[in-house]
Amino acid sequence: MKIKEIELRTIHLPLVRPFRTSFGTQTSREVLIVKVTNKNGTAGWAECVAMSEPLYSPEYVAGCIDLIKRFLLPALIAKPEIKAEDVATVLKPFLAGQMAKASLETAILDAQLKDGKVSLASYLGATKSKVECGVSVGIASNLEALGNEVKSYVDAGYRRIKLKIEPGWDIEAVKYIRNLYPDIPLQVDANQAYSRNDGKHLARLDEFNLLLIEQPLDEHDILGHALLAKEVKTPICLDESIVSLQSAEDALALKATTIINIKPGRVGGYLESVKIHDLCVKSKIPVWCGGMLETGIGRAANLALAALPGFTLPGDTSASARYFKQDITTPFVMEDGYLTVPNKPGIGVEPDMDFLESITRSKEVIR
């Protein structure tokens, strides 16, 4: 396809409740929405999952916009035609910027699949029409508040609970929830909040029958995770450390993880995500789809990925109402703990343009 026009739009969506992790508290989402229009007039949509500030990852919204305009887009439009399958190769000379690259690849892929009348789920190799839902629960002000929030999700039908933890908010919080719900699938996410010296402390979580401990150490400390895996019985899952197929191969070779969280934005797109999925299936390593508080655009694409056969654990593919009072697409509604995978061409959803315009903070069209 030939890119005719690209639109970079930033929107502002308030969250239904503050979301606190070990790296900060969010009360709203600033989102970069990317729209690519090809020479046929077909529009492809994508969401860049970078946050407003470089706290979770080095990428941030304003930086992604600059990277796209200054380097990535010129490289793509220099080609007479571009296929989604070639985007990663064309953009490889520009270091990092995985989230920005992923948004371009996904928007191009959406338009490409719409022209071919193929759904993203079918294109990626999905085998499921519904995806089991988990939910991520932020750090609360106290145990009672945590219990009330978890209860609301259990009552809603979520099939797995993930608790955010940090030093000072871990053992007692997990114990409290496990006592309330002895049998519910439960896991924790540290977002790199601990050090190699915390092995004995984290081993105290073993008694609570957790599915996994997600990203306890710094993303660059692969060896540290391998050492930690020898100290704790609970499976170690890597998130921030997995930024490519190569990093996944290295982590598995070093036995730093026995479960992998795949986030398409973090690894550079859905095509790289499938490669990591295939590696894990071959290695008999479970994978699950992580979340970045996506709008309906990003959530639709994540559901297509999570429908692949290797995704055997519930991911962070929550219903729209988990984060937003109103989504920018038709809301994703959970039924009996599942979300339906879109089956229309492309990512399978279109934004509500009236609502999108009402929450737009900036927009630039490049022809």
Side-chain angles (χ1 to χ4, degrees), residues 138-212:
I139 296 169
S141 56
N142 55 63
L143 293 177
E144 183 179 1
L146 177 67
N148 289 336
E149 184 174 353
V150 170
K151 182 179 184 302
S152 71
Y153 299 135
V154 174
D155 291 347
Y158 281 100
R159 293 174 171 265
R160 182 227 68 194
I161 300 295
K162 179 171 83 173
L163 302 178
K164 295 289 187 177
I165 61 171
E166 66 180 2
W169 181 267
D170 43 33
I171 308 300
E172 291 305 313
V174 174
K175 180 179 179 181
Y176 184 79
I177 297 303
R178 180 49 87 203
N179 286 340
L180 289 176
Y181 303 100
D183 301 318
I184 197 166
L186 184 66
Q187 64 191 58
V188 296
D189 182 8
N191 290 118
Q192 312 180 62
Y194 296 87
S195 72
R196 290 188 185 185
N197 297 326
D198 292 318
K200 290 183 179 179
H201 177 74
L202 290 172
R204 294 175 59 192
L205 293 170
D206 289 340
E207 66 178 286
F208 302 117
N209 189 30
L210 301 178
L211 293 173
L212 55 90

Side-chain angles (χ1 to χ4, degrees), residues 194-311:
Y194 296 87
S195 72
R196 290 188 185 185
N197 297 326
D198 292 318
K200 290 183 179 179
H201 177 74
L202 290 172
R204 294 175 59 192
L205 293 170
D206 289 340
E207 66 178 286
F208 302 117
N209 189 30
L210 301 178
L211 293 173
L212 55 90
I213 301 174
E214 185 180 354
Q215 198 68 45
L217 310 182
D218 184 272
E219 63 183 281
H220 302 292
D221 194 4
I222 303 299
L223 176 58
H225 282 99
L227 297 172
L228 181 64
K230 297 178 180 180
E231 289 191 78
V232 301
K233 295 179 181 179
T234 306
I236 300 298
C237 169
L238 291 185
D239 174 359
E240 288 95 325
S241 296
I242 307 301
V243 296
S244 63
L245 173 64
Q246 181 66 64
S247 63
E249 290 174 338
D250 292 348
L252 294 179
L254 289 171
K255 297 182 179 181
T257 185
T258 52
I259 300 173
I260 284 180
N261 169 346
I262 301 177
K263 287 180 180 171
R266 193 193 60 231
V267 304
Y270 291 89
L271 303 186
E272 188 78 357
S273 296
V274 171
K275 294 177 183 178
I276 297 171
H277 162 273
D278 293 348
L279 167 71
C280 290
V281 169
K282 182 179 178 180
S283 305
K284 297 182 179 180
I285 295 292
V287 296
W288 56 282
C289 186
M292 291 288 290
L293 285 65
E294 287 92 349
T295 71
I297 289 177
R299 196 170 308 278
N302 282 356
L303 286 169
L305 178 70
L308 269 64
F311 286 83

